[in-house]
């Protein structure tokens, strides 16, 4: 939790530095257009991918299946979309990677491993896929 808070505090500083560097390199107007454009794109992708993920959860529930993978997918879409909506190049890159379905699978696998490690440390739950 401590590393998360430190990262959360450092992220805006890193984004400002990247904005300043991009403004010097490609120009302030272009940098602002890119930031606004990725925010709009993030909102569109969040809506499209989010609705698709919600439909997958509903379809699996209607079939009587536990929608574990679909819920992880929805969580990744939510995080990726929010990262794209926030201004900043670093968050945009990470958000796009999370929203892109082939790379989202990698993120879901990492997330699942992290959850499994946390649960196994407590020796309470074993996850079987």
């Amino acid at each position: 939790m401590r590393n998360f808070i430190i990262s959360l505090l450092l992220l805006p500083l890193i984004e400002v530095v990247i904005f300043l560097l991009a403004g010097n390199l490609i120009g302030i107007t272009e940098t602002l257009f890119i930031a606004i454009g990725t925010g709009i794109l993030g909102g569109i992708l969040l809506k499209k991918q989010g609705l698709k993920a919600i439909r997958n959860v509903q379809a699996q529930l209607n079939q009587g299946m536990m929608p574990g993978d679909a819920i992880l997918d929805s969580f990744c879409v939510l995080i990726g979309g929010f990262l794209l909506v926030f201004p900043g190049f670093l968050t945009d890159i990470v958000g796009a990677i999370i929203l892109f379905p082939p790379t989202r699978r990698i993120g879901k696998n990492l997330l699942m491993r992290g959850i499994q490690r946390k649960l196994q440390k407590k020796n309470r739950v074993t996850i079987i896929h």
Side-chain angles (χ1 to χ4, degrees):
M1 188 66 163
R2 183 177 181 197
N3 290 337
F4 176 73
I5 293 173
I6 291 170
S7 298
L8 202 58
L9 293 173
L10 287 177
L11 184 61
L13 178 64
I14 293 168
E15 291 288 11
V16 167
V17 169
I18 293 172
F19 264 118
L20 292 173
L21 292 172
N24 284 334
L25 186 65
I26 62 174
I28 294 172
T29 306
E30 291 82 0
T31 302
L32 288 174
F33 277 127
I34 290 171
I36 292 168
T38 57
I40 292 170
L41 178 66
I44 292 168
L45 285 173
L46 178 59
K47 181 179 179 182
K48 182 181 174 189
Q49 294 290 319
L51 289 174
K52 183 179 176 184
I54 290 170
R55 281 189 214 109
N56 287 340
V57 170
Q58 289 173 338
Q60 287 182 6
L61 285 172
N62 289 337
Q63 294 172 358
M65 298 169 49
M66 183 61 96
D69 188 56
I71 289 174
L72 278 177
D73 206 38
S74 300
F75 183 72
C76 288
V77 166
L78 180 69
I79 297 299
F82 279 135
L83 288 174
L84 267 174
V85 171
F86 291 140
F89 290 113
L90 186 61
T91 54
D92 288 345
I93 291 169
V94 173
I97 288 170
I98 293 172
L99 278 177
F100 189 57
T103 53
R104 186 181 327 143
R105 276 187 236 118
I106 297 168
K108 285 192 316 188
N109 289 337
L110 291 172
L111 182 61
M112 181 57 89
R113 281 191 220 137
I115 292 170
Q116 286 175 338
R117 269 187 258 126
K118 285 278 190 191
L119 291 174
Q120 287 174 352
K121 277 184 181 178
K122 295 182 183 212
N123 292 323
R124 293 184 185 169
V125 177
T126 302
I127 297 176
I128 301 171
H129 2 11

